[in-house]
Amino acid sequence: AAVATADTAEVHVVRHGESEWNKARGYSFSDPLIFDAPLTAKGRRQAEALRGKVAQMKPDLVLCSPYTRCLQTMALALGPLCGTVPVRVTALASEVQEHACDIGRPASVLEAEFPFADFSELTEMWWHCSTSLYTSANIVETLEQVHADWVKDKTPFLEPHELAYARVVDFVKYLKSEVCTPFSSIVIFSHGFFLYRLSGMLLPNCGTSTVTNCVKNFTRPHDLDKLYWNNCYQQ
């Protein structure tokens, strides 16, 4: 078989299913304060319904955001493919960190729940935090305090937009690096705002798209500012 390159690999994206945060927030601007929100029952059904479509993508590499809603979507959508296709968890594909649902959980905790995935690229505390109070060395013991601090003042945990845009650029470089180029069909499980910045498309929960040309022709992230305050779109 021909060896895939950055210009020949098919690249597919999947947005996570409905999360408990999505459901609780509805169409309001209030944050329901559900940290690292899991999928709802509806979200699980949405993910399971993707199995046929994902199988048709014939993935030989899966990349996944470390947030629980994405990991659950990935596991349910892969179904019997779990354990047969390499799954790499990368923080590069995580969502812009703006809400309680974007405070993650330690990598070791996630790895215990999803043992078939490769978490080796993650630090223990892989999400953005500008204060030195919390580190990979103490995050397991201090996670509840992180949640309490978020409620009091979330500023240290908000990811600056310039860093979020830079992550999209780094992710495209990652896709074109030797880590990914040996593969011919890559499926990415990620988030609404991140995938918009990558592809220019707003996907619904468990929406999918093939973005091979978007990656091949990528020059800069798509500007989200004009869409950011549209409350008809949920993260």
Side-chain angles (χ1 to χ4, degrees):
V3 176
T5 69
D7 290 331
T8 62
E10 288 290 308
V11 182
H12 312 275
V13 295
V14 182
R15 187 189 169 205
H16 65 79
E18 182 191 68
S19 72
E20 293 288 354
W21 190 94
N22 293 144
K23 179 180 178 181
R25 188 190 193 201
Y27 289 99
S28 73
F29 280 108
S30 61
D31 190 332
L33 299 178
I34 303 173
F35 295 94
D36 193 23
L39 295 180
T40 61
K42 176 182 177 181
R44 295 179 69 86
R45 292 193 299 270
Q46 290 172 328
E48 289 173 345
L50 284 177
R51 286 184 182 177
K53 183 175 289 188
V54 171
Q56 289 176 355
M57 296 173 184
K58 299 181 179 178
D60 53 0
L61 176 65
V62 171
L63 301 176
C64 189
S65 159
Y67 287 112
T68 296
R69 56 194 184 272
C70 267
L71 290 164
Q72 290 179 328
T73 300
M74 174 269 296
L76 290 167
L78 286 180
L81 292 178
C82 278
T84 67
V85 177
V87 175
R88 293 180 185 161
V89 181
T90 173
L92 289 175
S94 60
E95 184 58 295
V96 182
Q97 194 173 307
E98 299 176 312
H99 302 288
C101 59
D102 303 323
I103 296 294
R105 292 188 294 155
S108 60
V109 174
L110 297 171
E111 188 171 19
E113 292 184 16
F114 303 92
F116 59 88
D118 180 357
F119 288 83
S120 62
E121 294 182 13
L122 295 189
T123 56
E124 186 73 336
M125 190 179 80
W126 45 268
W127 59 95
H128 176 78
C129 180
S130 63
T131 174
S132 60
L133 290 175
Y134 306 108
T135 66
S136 287
N138 68 15
I139 191 59
V140 173
E141 295 79 15
T142 59
L143 187 59
E144 289 187 6
Q145 187 58 48
V146 168
H147 295 169
D149 285 355
W150 169 278
V151 174
K152 289 186 292 185
D153 179 15
K154 64 183 180 180
T155 305
F157 306 101
L158 297 178
E159 182 181 23
H161 278 212
E162 60 268 23
L163 293 184
Y165 279 102
R167 268 200 300 111
V168 179
V169 174
D170 289 341
F171 184 66
V172 172
K173 292 178 180 177
Y174 180 84
L175 287 172
K176 295 182 177 182
S177 74
E178 61 184 13
V179 175
C180 295
T181 51
F183 300 94
S184 60
S185 181
I186 301 170
V187 179
I188 302 160
F189 289 84
S190 187
H191 305 265
F193 287 169
F194 180 85
L195 292 176
Y196 177 82
R197 285 175 164 146
L198 175 67
S199 68
M201 291 178 286
L202 290 172
L203 297 176
N205 289 126
C206 277
T208 69
S209 183
T210 298
V211 297
T212 307
N213 288 334
C214 296
V215 172
K216 184 190 300 185
N217 301 320
F218 182 88
T219 56
R220 62 187 297 274
H222 291 266
D223 188 356
L224 192 61
D225 292 342
K226 294 178 181 179
L227 296 164
Y228 187 73
W229 296 110
N230 178 2
N231 67 350
C232 291
Y233 182 71
Q234 302 173 59
Q235 184 183 28

